[in-house]
Amino acid sequence: MEENKRGESPILIIRWSETCNNKCVMCSLNGGDKKEESVAFENILEQLHEGRENRHTNVEFTGGEPTFRPRLDEAMAYAKKIGYTQIGISTNGRMLGDRIFSENLVKSGMTDTTIALHGPNAETHEKITNSPGSFAEISAGLENLKELNVHVSIDSVLCRLNVDVFEKIGDFLLEKGIDNWSISDLVPDGRGRDDYKKLAVDPEDLEGFGKRILPVLAKFSYAGIFNFSRCVFPAELPPRIVFFEIKKKMDNWDMQGKAGRYSKEKTAYKDFYKKPFSGCDRCGYRDDCGGFWTDYLNIYGEDPILKIARENGFSK
């Protein structure tokens, strides 16, 4: 998900669907296991109306998988009709490989897409999505969107299955002419928590990752970093790389369906899945970052995280 640079802030995020046509191993929602839709179409229209009353001009439909639920084109057309100028989806990208489907969404008002891509090739990506053919569908979708002049950004989640080839995802995107890339850490929730110990990148591989990925991120006109703790990356970040701690997330998005995960207590921002550890005591990002994943600390303890933090210029 890209920083709101082109429209009013915050972006209105609408959870359009709870279901999904993938079964990603790290899905925080278990969308592929759900059959019901939690929000009626009429309620979606009410959310869009309320967003315009609050002066939003930028809306993103997310999920689950938004393209997997019917009437998305109708919701987009309605959003366009009442004054939204940026209309996007956060998607696994599979349905966008269908040219007619993509054209219909664009005609209805779609201007932006954020596509989840977790590997530079079919072998890695489909090992994570558990969906044969999904890499080819995304590749076709990227070509469709390019020809239809839709703004594309890519989001990739780091886990043990792709850590060794993660930089190559960036190389693949640059070859495709995509210059907006966001990277996210694995969230210990849903299916991602069920197998967290198997999926989380171990400290030996996490050590140095932040330094290693920065030269690749710096090649993009925009790069975002999500869900990581700040100390995983060097204290100094190159230009055009934006780190989204909890405060920045809450400032940039009106997150429908996220109530309960993020909160603010006095001056400190909290993530339900994180907790401060001893390395946070002297960190200038303590109040905005939220600490480190509780599950990760329970598995590996504080010592390897402290080592990473110190090497990156924190907790000295």
Side-chain angles (χ1 to χ4, degrees):
M1 184 185 297
E2 187 180 351
E3 181 185 14
N4 183 21
K5 299 184 293 182
R6 299 186 293 153
E8 293 184 11
S9 181
I11 303 172
L12 177 66
I13 303 295
I14 291 182
R15 188 167 300 284
W16 168 256
S17 173
E18 294 289 343
T19 57
C20 186
N21 52 344
N22 275 354
K23 294 195 71 172
C24 296
V25 296
M26 75 304 190
C27 178
S28 62
L29 297 172
N30 286 0
D33 299 331
K34 296 181 179 180
K35 305 300 180 183
E36 78 285 350
E37 300 294 350
S38 61
V39 180
F41 184 78
E42 292 73 18
N43 295 123
I44 298 293
L45 302 187
E46 292 176 4
Q47 289 182 34
L48 288 169
H49 251 300
E50 182 179 346
R52 287 298 294 129
E53 290 174 354
N54 291 327
R55 301 176 63 84
H56 292 300
T57 59
N58 189 346
V59 60
E60 180 174 291
F61 296 92
T62 184
E65 173 50 44
T67 64
F68 198 50
R69 178 182 177 181
R71 303 184 73 182
L72 177 60
D73 56 342
E74 294 180 47
M76 287 184 167
Y78 184 78
K80 181 178 180 180
K81 178 181 178 181
I82 64 175
Y84 287 90
T85 56
Q86 281 181 250
I87 302 170
I89 55 173
S90 180
T91 173
N92 63 33
R94 294 179 61 188
M95 291 292 291
L96 299 176
D98 183 325
R99 178 60 179 240
I100 295 175
F101 183 87
S102 293
E103 287 179 346
N104 186 45
L105 292 185
V106 173
K107 289 177 182 178
S108 299
M110 184 175 73
T111 61
D112 295 73
T113 60
T114 299
I115 296 176
L117 179 70
H118 307 303
N121 50 46
E123 178 183 3
T124 303
H125 179 74
E126 292 172 12
K127 187 181 296 183
I128 292 172
T129 64
N130 280 317
S131 301
S134 56
F135 185 82
E137 290 169 328
I138 288 179
S139 297
L142 293 177
E143 294 299 322
N144 287 335
L145 296 173
K146 181 178 180 180
E147 293 173 5
L148 293 168
N149 295 315
V150 175
H151 183 265
V152 177
S153 58
I154 300 294
D155 181 53
S156 304
V157 176
L158 178 72
C159 68
R160 194 173 298 185
L161 299 178
N162 62 10
V163 62
D164 292 335
V165 296
F166 205 80
E167 294 97 317
K168 293 182 180 180
I169 301 174
D171 296 336
F172 170 81
L173 298 178
L174 292 169
E175 290 173 3
K176 291 288 186 180
I178 296 169
D179 61 359
N180 291 262
W181 188 29
S182 294
I183 65 172
S184 299
D185 199 8
L186 173 70
V187 178
D189 192 13
R191 200 178 296 121
R193 189 173 192 184
D194 293 341
D195 290 320
Y196 187 72
K197 190 171 183 179
K198 296 179 181 178
L199 293 173
V201 175
D202 61 43
E204 290 77 14
D205 287 328
L206 188 61
E207 183 178 346
F209 170 79
K211 294 178 182 177
R212 192 174 73 244
I213 197 64
L214 286 189
V216 183
L217 290 174
K219 296 178 182 179
F220 290 79
S221 64
Y222 167 85
I225 299 174
F226 292 85
N227 290 323
F228 287 92
S229 297
R230 183 61 183 86
C231 57
V232 173
F233 295 84
E236 296 294 328
L237 296 178
R240 302 192 306 276
I241 298 179
V242 182
F243 192 94
F244 284 85
E245 69 283 288
I246 302 166
K247 181 182 185 302
K248 187 177 284 289
K249 288 181 182 180
M250 294 182 72
D251 287 346
N252 274 270
W253 297 290
D254 180 0
M255 295 177 285
Q256 301 292 328
K258 286 289 187 180
R261 176 172 173 187
Y262 303 120
S263 61
K264 182 181 180 183
E265 298 177 11
K266 296 182 180 179
T267 61
Y269 290 79
K270 305 288 185 181
D271 184 326
F272 178 80
Y273 300 104
K274 293 185 175 184
K275 69 177 182 180
F277 67 109
S278 61
C280 299
D281 292 344
R282 300 180 184 178
C283 179
Y285 293 92
R286 176 190 171 103
D287 284 351
D288 297 343
C289 175
F292 216 90
W293 301 119
T294 302
D295 288 55
Y296 200 94
L297 292 170
N298 288 342
I299 295 170
Y300 295 109
E302 293 189 0
D303 288 347
I305 310 306
L306 282 169
K307 181 181 178 184
I308 293 171
R310 288 170 182 148
E311 290 182 351
N312 284 325
F314 298 94
S315 303
K316 291 184 178 181

